[in-house]
Amino acid sequence: MRETSGRKRSTVRRAVAAALGTAVLAAAAAGITLPASAAAPPVPAGWSQVFLDDFNGPAGSGVNTADWQYTTGTSYPGGPANFGTGEIETMTADPSNVSLDGSGNLRITPRRDAAGNWTSGRVETRRSDFQPPAGGTLRTEARIQMPNVTGPAAKGYWPAFWMLGAPYRGNWWNWPGIGEIDIMENVQGLNNVWSTLHCGTSPGGPCNETSGIGGQRPCPGATCQAGFHTYAVEWDRSTAVEQMRFSVDGQTYHTVRADQVDAKTWTDATNHGYFIILNVAMGGGFPDAFGGGPDAGTVPGHSMVVDYVSVLRSTGGTTPPTTPPTTPPTTPPSGNRDAYTAIQAESHDDQAGTAKETTTDTGGGQNLASLGNGDWALFKGVDFGSAAARQFRGRVASGAAGGVSGLVEVRLDSRTAPPVGSFSIASTGGWQNWRTVPANITGVTGRHDVYVTFTSGQPADFVNLNWFDFGH
């Protein structure tokens, strides 16, 4: 939930089961949905609890205001209107929008009145000092069931669990330089979780704003809406390169490392504490990118249910998680393309919905044009070698109209396989105004057929692609 004037939400987008070794995390890693009233996991050896709220209390009561503060209205005092994201609800402290349910959960519930006006809830920790110690790790997690609504009835829903850099408080205009860590976002009732680090300058900049450095995946086991899942980020200063690892149910799916941006950008975003936010917005840039905000078919009253929020700190020595490399297919695909050399988009082996045109980008040649939702291109036999590739870069341009954006995705060996990585793109200022956009991918080794697919919530074309490559 970014906070800056006039920007759109991202369309993108820790494994500590071994390190923590608790029964709850083991169950999460196995995709088991625990009861709604499950307690927070016990604190494992080597870690200390620095914050915990189990949301125990009488039904209808509010949050503990010693730990949390309500954010009400449509903006921070003196800050961007509509919280800078274009969302349309008014946040309140009314128990109908924010309250405990008496069963150990916090419920944040969007409502619509007879005049069609939306209200919802947003709470933030009073503390804004959450950061890892030198040489240690901070783990911020929550067990959440997203609003259990899908399809047209979910249009405009935008639940989130996230963190903002402490310098934002009282300034309200210094985003994204002060950093934003989106641990869980969802939109339109889709079975998908997005996570993102925002940093640098906007638009564009080293962190590809307003999209940020993001990753995504479907929820394991039960859908995000049908069951509880544990969403977490581990901010790790014990590794050679400082990093943030995002996970769902103990499965790491996105990592951001300090060496992906310049030192000043990373320091500006991380050399301070953070505060935690839970909210459900209605409408705004993110829903707009997937079909639009609430309409007459949107059904109010579906709650984001939060079982607990926990912050743990380790002073170092824990083993960072590893992501197993993607298993190569039994029969290597035909072709011999180098994953680490620019692959020209027009050199595809098969495609649907694409067109070629002359490019004015550096190097000349052609680019793929008129790319929109459902289009794809196949590149056979891309050789990643034995050292896992963990980055994907695309050379893209867009002259899409305001509110039109989408995802550029990488899939392996089947165009219906889950994406191993993606980035979002909106207008770059013109269909030949080129930008190189980076994204993280799940570690990939061996040789694969690579499908580059294009996904959007609108029928309009949203991107041109000149080339792409991969990196370690």
Side-chain angles (χ1 to χ4, degrees):
M1 303 292 298
R2 293 167 249 193
E3 302 298 331
T4 191
S5 178
R7 70 183 184 278
K8 291 180 291 186
R9 282 299 304 160
S10 166
T11 63
V12 293
R13 37 318 216 192
R14 359 204 206 262
V16 294
L20 301 187
T22 66
V24 171
L25 288 180
I32 299 171
T33 302
L34 299 176
S37 59
V43 179
W47 295 76
S48 59
Q49 188 97 59
V50 296
F51 181 86
L52 174 66
D53 196 335
D54 256 328
F55 299 113
N56 293 320
S61 61
V63 294
N64 180 355
T65 53
D67 290 331
W68 299 92
Q69 60 190 40
Y70 295 92
T71 301
T72 59
T74 59
S75 69
Y76 290 108
N82 304 105
F83 293 104
T85 66
E87 56 203 76
I88 65 169
E89 81 295 328
T90 299
M91 296 297 186
T92 85
D94 192 288
S96 67
N97 292 127
V98 188
S99 63
L100 308 185
D101 66 3
S103 298
N105 304 300
L106 170 68
R107 292 180 176 267
I108 300 179
T109 311
R111 305 284 183 186
R112 183 175 57 202
D113 65 19
N117 301 309
W118 286 90
T119 59
S120 190
R122 175 179 178 133
V123 294
E124 306 178 357
T125 56
R126 291 192 176 276
R127 289 180 58 176
S128 60
D129 60 348
F130 296 118
Q131 64 175 316
T137 304
L138 187 84
R139 176 180 173 87
T140 305
E141 73 174 45
R143 187 167 176 269
I144 296 172
Q145 181 175 8
M146 296 181 190
N148 191 12
V149 58
T150 60
K155 191 174 180 182
Y157 272 79
W158 182 6
F161 164 46
W162 53 299
M163 305 173 75
L164 270 173
Y168 190 69
R169 280 186 169 164
N171 182 316
W172 317 127
W173 294 94
N174 52 11
W175 186 97
I178 48 79
E180 175 182 328
I181 305 170
D182 296 332
I183 306 169
M184 180 282 288
E185 289 186 280
N186 179 259
V187 67
Q188 311 291 54
L190 300 173
N191 179 32
N192 212 64
V193 52
W194 282 266
S195 64
T196 309
L197 173 68
H198 296 285
C199 49
T201 57
S202 180
C207 305
N208 185 38
E209 298 302 345
T210 57
S211 296
I213 305 172
Q216 60 164 315
R217 63 155 293 164
C219 286
T223 68
C224 303
Q225 290 73 32
F228 280 83
H229 297 273
T230 301
Y231 305 95
V233 62
E234 283 198 350
W235 180 358
D236 193 348
R237 288 177 172 158
S238 72
T239 52
V241 177
E242 187 175 341
Q243 58 187 248
M244 297 179 185
R245 299 182 295 268
F246 297 83
S247 68
V248 55
D249 294 344
Q251 301 180 28
T252 300
Y253 64 93
H254 179 46
T255 301
V256 182
R257 297 178 299 278
D259 58 6
Q260 290 179 244
V261 297
D262 62 274
K264 183 180 186 306
T265 294
W266 187 263
T267 298
D268 288 348
T270 61
N271 194 29
H272 51 250
Y274 274 71
F275 56 96
I276 299 168
I277 305 172
L278 296 162
N279 73 290
V280 181
M282 296 302 296
F286 200 1
D288 285 349
F290 284 83
D295 59 20
T298 304
V299 177
H302 292 277
S303 306
M304 180 173 78
V305 186
V306 186
D307 182 27
Y308 67 82
V309 174
S310 170
V311 183
L312 301 175
R313 184 170 60 192
S314 168
T315 56
T318 60
T319 302
T322 58
T323 302
T326 303
T327 303
T330 303
T331 302
S334 60
N336 187 23
R337 300 174 185 264
D338 182 2
Y340 308 105
T341 299
I343 298 172
Q344 297 297 324
E346 72 274 16
S347 70
H348 54 69
D349 297 286
D350 198 2
Q351 60 81 36
T354 75
K356 297 178 183 180
E357 67 180 7
T358 301
T359 181
T360 62
D361 195 16
T362 303
Q366 293 182 307
N367 62 261
L368 287 188
S370 305
L371 302 172
N373 185 53
D375 297 344
W376 55 270
L378 165 63
F379 304 85
K380 291 185 176 180
V382 179
D383 189 357
F384 293 86
S386 59
R390 298 188 181 277
Q391 288 187 306
F392 165 67
R393 298 190 308 163
R395 184 71 170 169
V396 292
S398 175
V404 176
S405 58
L407 297 175
V408 179
E409 305 163 317
V410 178
R411 304 172 191 260
L412 302 180
D413 304 316
S414 169
R415 62 185 176 90
T416 59
V420 296
S422 67
F423 63 80
S424 65
I425 188 72
S427 177
T428 63
W431 292 108
Q432 290 293 320
N433 190 8
W434 295 94
R435 178 185 300 174
T436 303
V437 179
N440 283 7
I441 61 171
T442 303
V444 181
T445 60
R447 184 178 295 175
H448 298 272
D449 289 341
V450 170
Y451 288 82
V452 181
T453 60
F454 305 91
T455 301
S456 175
Q458 309 95 1
D461 297 337
F462 68 90
V463 69
N464 288 348
L465 177 66
N466 190 10
W467 54 261
F468 63 93
D469 64 9
F470 298 88
H472 297 296

